[in-house]
Structures are given as C-alpha cells and as structure tokens.
Amino acid sequence: MGLFDKYNHIIDRHSKLDDFDVDPFNVCVERVISPTVGVINGQETILVGTNNYLGLTFEADCVDEAVKALKDYGTATTGSRIANGTYADHVQLEQDIASFLNYRAAIVFPTGYQANLGILAGLADKSDTILLDADSHASIYDGCTLSGATMIRFRHNSPADLDKRLERLKDDKSNKLVVVESIYSMFGDRAPLDEFVDVKNRHGVSLLVDEAHSLGVFGDHGQGLAAEMGVGAEIDYTVGTFSKSLGAVGGFGASNHPLFETLRYTSRPYMYTASSSPSNVAAAITALRHIRTRPELRAKLWENAEMLYNCLSDLGYDICAPMSPIIALRIPDEETAIYHWNLLFKAGVYVNLALPPGAPNRTCLLRCSVSARHSSEQIGYIVDAFAKCSAIISPNAHQRAAVAL
Amino acid sequence: MNQEGAVIWTPESVLDEIRSLLEPYNPNGAEISLETDFSSELNIDSVAAMNLVMEIEDKFEIDIPINQLPDMNTPKDLVDIVLVRVNK
C-alpha cells in the first residue's frame, strides 16, 4: 500500500482527460496580452474564467505603484507579520480596508484562502460551534476544521434551516459563529444576507460573511453585497480577497470587535507565514482607490454580465443562478462538460470547468466570469463560440439523455 | 412511541431509515448491510457523505457535527451515532 494508492480512483478519472489536447485543470497561459486575452497553447484566447471582474490587472497606476514598491522595498519581505514582515504599506492597506468597509480594524493575509484559515481558526476553537452554509468554499471548510470547532452544516442559502438548527442548539452553551458567503463562487447565487442577519440577531450569535466574489462588484462604492442590501453594519466579521476585483493577491478579515486584533498574536495562519510581497500590497492599495471612486467600472461589468447572461440564456443553456458576473452553465454529464470545454477552448474561449465534488450537488459546470474589460465584440465572439459548440454537442447530449432514460 | 408520544428508535428501525435514505446513493441497488463501506462499495465522496448526513439530520431532527465524518464509514457507524443523539 503506497501513499498515493488512496488517489487511484481520482487518477483514473483524471486520465480520461488525456484524450484531449489540453488538460482543463492544468492550463498554462504562456503570455498575457490584456485582462481579457491570453496566449494558451500558442493560440490567442479570450479569458472568461479569471474572476478579474473589474479588469484592474493592467491598470496603469496599479502597475506603476507595484513597480515602485518593488524598487523601493525589494522583491519580498522574507518574514512573518509578527517578525520583520510588517511594512508601512501593509498597515496602510489594513487602514484603507477598515475605512472602506466601516470597520474598526482589518487584518491582511497573503491569500484569500489564508484569510479564511486565519480568521476562522483564530476566532473559534474546540469549545465553540460554527454553523456553515453547506455550499461553502473549501477555504471555509478548511478554516473550520483547523479551528477544531464543532461544525454544523445548514442547507444552502436557507435562513429557515439555520434557524431550526440554532433552535435545536438553544441549550448548548458554546459560542456560535454563523458563516456564509455573499456570492457563491461556483453557481454565482447570492445569499439572503438580510434574512441571515435577522436569524443571527434573534439567536444572539455572530455572523461572518465572505465577500470574495462581491467586493468591488456590489454596493454604491463596491463595498460588497452586505452594503448593497443595507446590512453592512450588522455583519460581525467580513472576509475578502484581493485576487478578484482588486487584481492582486491576498486576503483580509475585518471587524468592529474591540478585541479583533488579538488574532495578530493568536491566529497561526497569520503568524507563521511570510507576509504579502510589497508589490502586491501596493497594487491592492491602488486598486482599492479605483473601486471606491470609479462606479463606471461596475456599471460596465454589469452591462457585460447582462449581455452574456441573456445571450447564453437565449441559446438554451441551463444557467444556475439569476444574473451576476458569475454565469455558470449546468451541463448534463461529465463527459459532455469536458468535451464542451475543449470545443470552446479550440474556438479560442477559456472558461472554467468544474466537476463534482468541486461543484455542489454533483453538478458539472462551465463557469464564466465576466470582466468590465470585455468589449462588446468579445462578448459577441464568446456567444458565437458557445452557439457553435452547442450545435455540435446538443444532438449527442440528447442521445445520451435518451439512453440514460 | 413512549408515553409522551415520541418515537422510540431501535437499531433496526434506524437502520431501515438509513437504508431508505441511502437509495439515491445506490443506483445499482447493491445490498446494504451494516458493514457496507460507503466509499469503496457505494462510491460516496466527501460532499455526498455530507449531504447524506444532512438527510439523516432532517429525518431524525438531530444535528450531527461534520467533524464526525471520518468515523462514518458504514451504516453501522451511522446507526450508532444516530442512536446516541435521538436517545439523548
């Protein structure tokens, strides 16, 4: 029995991808031409699966500030935040995020994944109970596991199911933390945050919201879905990432709790890792300014999202959620999903492929994420590519469905 | 039922319910015994296992922390966990 024997079934499944020119889970972008175009396998490809919602990765002053920080501070901090790894810009970025979201304090982490690990494992321990949405991101599950807290799952986006479970736990004396996301990364569906706030207030428990996919996308100034729904002040803890709308790498947690910054010397994922590189932090600080001050970026993003959503809907695709910059198409089976992905890729369009258990409910997805930087011509090209692919695929898919029946 | 009208669960009746909840995860109709291995015999992955637990929670009106998932490999494991919680 070898260490890798436990993966045999996954290796077998993955080997089916060998029949195709490109492994959808091992794509190498050889050159990046713009926020929406890259060269993959020598071919110019429109990128529709990058989460680069506002397209800020090539914004001139974001690049300039990152280069300046690189020259001024060097390539890396080479240390943890609790040792030599806190530079003036790390502190500046934390102040900017706290001010942006109207919180007392924010703590930044090197990635969004680590932000969830650090905040969840910092807040909770084995004496606490975390109630998490069933469709939570892997970083939330991993953060909860690392915390050692008792983990209770509630049905996805169901305040009623959360309410029922909190009612059952009413005699349990442990501290309770409810964890939800604002927009779910795979389907793009949004949480009824106002109803969750109502439930958490009635039961007197804390609420953490991960705004990874909504920061910069929702709200008058891009503060996220809680702000757009008017419940920002009711959220006890917000987690977010820099790797989507901010076009950088990193993540944060923010709160009004007077003891929040205790996590700086109690949260192991914060303490025992090198801090973000100076260039990354500078890019995030600059991108945050764009998000605050340029609502036209959001307007363009939503215009593009609406155009692509309506066109794909007209083509007959089964879209998983109401319109948002995440447009996830439900594909009947894994074989069709892989084939469809490859056809799109050959047509010069890159989207995300998600297969179970990576997507909820054993669903196979082609997942698009729209950018404000997509031109209407690009959206038109993407739609044409989908139309051609679906014309090739539909007869086969229907045949398979008939056989299955 | 007991005097308060609550259902009294036995290992047999819990197993019957679990067998019924397992049906969607057993499209080939394999025989489900107390020792059937969820992963190797029913191909139940980590997400499916969590969803099965949720069905069980609803059926028995209990909460089962998912921290216990590593200990849930067979119907017998589930019966034991459910009995502890329903008879609390």
Side-chain angles (χ1 to χ4, degrees):
Chain A
M1 179 77 181
L3 286 171
F4 287 88
D5 288 359
K6 58 181 165 292
Y7 301 125
N8 282 345
H9 64 294
I10 298 175
I11 292 167
D12 284 348
R13 197 170 158 209
H14 188 261
S15 68
K16 288 178 191 158
L17 300 172
D18 294 345
D19 298 339
F20 297 95
D21 295 339
V22 178
D23 175 350
F25 302 111
N26 199 16
V27 166
C28 173
V29 182
E30 291 136 13
R31 200 153 51 88
V32 182
I33 294 170
S34 75
T36 57
V37 180
V39 175
I40 306 174
N41 266 18
Q43 176 183 257
E44 251 188 46
T45 303
I46 299 178
L47 306 172
V48 206
T50 61
N51 301 319
N52 193 355
Y53 297 119
L54 301 180
L56 292 176
T57 44
F58 279 79
E59 197 67 26
D61 59 349
C62 293
V63 173
D64 289 347
E65 290 299 322
V67 170
K68 184 172 182 303
L70 195 58
K71 289 183 173 169
D72 290 349
Y73 293 100
T75 52
T77 67
T78 71
S80 155
R81 291 293 304 275
I82 60 166
N84 62 297
T86 296
Y87 289 3
D89 273 359
H90 292 97
V91 176
Q92 182 66 55
L93 178 55
E94 289 176 338
Q95 288 171 351
D96 288 354
I97 291 165
S99 148
F100 180 52
L101 296 176
N102 291 317
Y103 280 124
R104 181 196 290 246
I107 300 175
V108 302
F109 293 82
T111 69
Y113 178 87
Q114 284 171 288
N116 267 328
L117 251 57
I119 297 298
L120 290 164
L123 287 174
D125 74 5
K126 63 183 181 183
S127 64
D128 304 312
T129 300
I130 298 178
L131 296 103
L132 69 162
D133 186 284
D135 285 2
S136 290
H137 189 262
S139 58
I140 291 175
Y141 276 98
D142 291 354
C144 293
T145 302
L146 187 64
S147 77
T150 299
M151 296 161 65
I152 307 279
R153 265 171 116 223
F154 59 89
R155 289 198 179 276
H156 175 54
N157 267 350
S158 174
D161 193 55
L162 172 65
D163 189 37
K164 183 176 75 180
R165 287 166 193 278
L166 283 168
E167 188 60 33
R168 281 205 292 255
L169 290 167
K170 65 175 188 280
D171 296 326
D172 176 283
K173 301 290 182 226
S174 65
N175 295 306
K176 310 218 174 37
L177 174 66
V178 174
V179 180
V180 300
E181 296 177 43
S182 50
I183 297 290
Y184 284 82
S185 61
M186 285 295 112
F187 286 180
D189 50 335
R190 61 181 82 177
L193 292 180
D194 49 349
E195 295 175 49
F196 279 124
V197 163
D198 177 53
V199 172
K200 79 107 185 175
N201 283 339
R202 277 193 286 108
H203 290 275
V205 299
S206 301
L207 175 63
L208 180 150
V209 178
D210 182 342
E211 296 253 21
H213 288 270
S214 46
L215 194 80
V217 172
F218 288 90
D220 289 345
H221 301 283
Q223 303 100 315
L225 186 61
E228 175 153 312
M229 295 178 79
V231 294
E234 303 276 352
I235 311 300
D236 301 287
Y237 305 95
T238 293
V239 171
T241 179
F242 306 144
S243 63
K244 297 176 172 57
S245 60
L246 275 84
V249 180
F252 70 88
S255 177
N256 277 329
H257 197 292
L259 297 176
F260 183 61
E261 292 190 85
T262 306
L263 299 187
R264 291 190 194 277
Y265 49 90
T266 56
S267 171
R268 293 161 66 94
Y270 175 81
M271 298 160 69
Y272 297 107
T273 190
S275 61
S276 305
S277 70
S279 54
N280 241 319
V281 173
I285 289 172
T286 315
L288 196 57
R289 274 205 298 272
H290 284 278
I291 287 179
R292 281 182 123 137
T293 57
R294 295 179 62 195
E296 68 274 17
L297 287 175
R298 262 182 304 288
K300 179 64 178 163
L301 169 66
W302 282 95
E303 184 188 313
N304 285 347
E306 186 174 11
M307 191 188 306
L308 186 59
Y309 185 95
N310 289 340
C311 290
L312 293 178
S313 177
D314 289 346
L315 285 176
Y317 281 98
D318 179 6
I319 304 179
C320 295
M323 199 263 290
S324 87
I326 296 171
I327 303 171
L329 313 177
R330 198 178 274 110
I331 306 297
D333 60 79
E334 186 164 318
E335 193 183 339
T336 309
I338 295 168
Y339 182 49
H340 196 323
W341 184 91
N342 269 276
L343 287 176
L344 278 171
F345 182 75
K346 281 184 180 155
V349 174
Y350 170 80
V351 302
N352 303 127
L353 173 67
L355 303 175
N361 309 330
R362 301 182 84 83
T363 314
C364 298
L365 298 178
L366 293 177
R367 175 187 178 276
C368 305
S369 53
V370 181
S371 172
R373 292 297 184 195
H374 282 125
S375 65
S376 50
E377 289 76 19
Q378 285 176 324
I379 303 270
Y381 184 93
I382 295 162
V383 173
D384 280 349
F386 268 103
K388 286 173 188 156
C389 294
S390 70
I392 295 169
I393 278 173
S394 293
N396 292 337
H398 291 155
Q399 261 174 17
R400 268 197 287 274
V403 170
L405 287 170
Chain B
M1 290 199 186
N2 64 13
Q3 286 179 336
E4 287 84 41
V7 176
I8 296 176
W9 291 103
T10 64
E12 293 74 24
S13 60
V14 170
L15 179 61
D16 282 346
E17 294 293 347
I18 287 173
R19 275 204 180 105
S20 151
L21 293 171
L22 275 168
E23 273 174 25
Y25 301 88
N26 183 22
N28 299 326
E31 175 134 0
I32 306 286
S33 75
L34 275 170
E35 306 302 332
T36 301
D37 188 89
F38 293 140
S39 174
S40 63
E41 295 181 62
L42 295 180
N43 202 23
I44 292 179
D45 63 29
S46 57
V47 173
M50 289 195 293
N51 291 339
L52 172 64
V53 166
M54 207 166 240
E55 301 290 337
I56 292 169
E57 290 176 315
D58 280 353
K59 177 71 209 176
F60 295 98
E61 295 183 2
I62 55 174
D63 289 304
I64 302 174
I66 55 173
N67 315 55
Q68 289 189 272
L69 270 181
D71 302 323
M72 299 180 206
N73 301 308
T74 66
K76 181 175 186 315
D77 298 333
L78 289 177
V79 169
D80 291 345
I81 286 168
V82 169
L83 281 174
V84 166
R85 294 184 176 267
V86 290
N87 293 330
K88 254 186 182 176

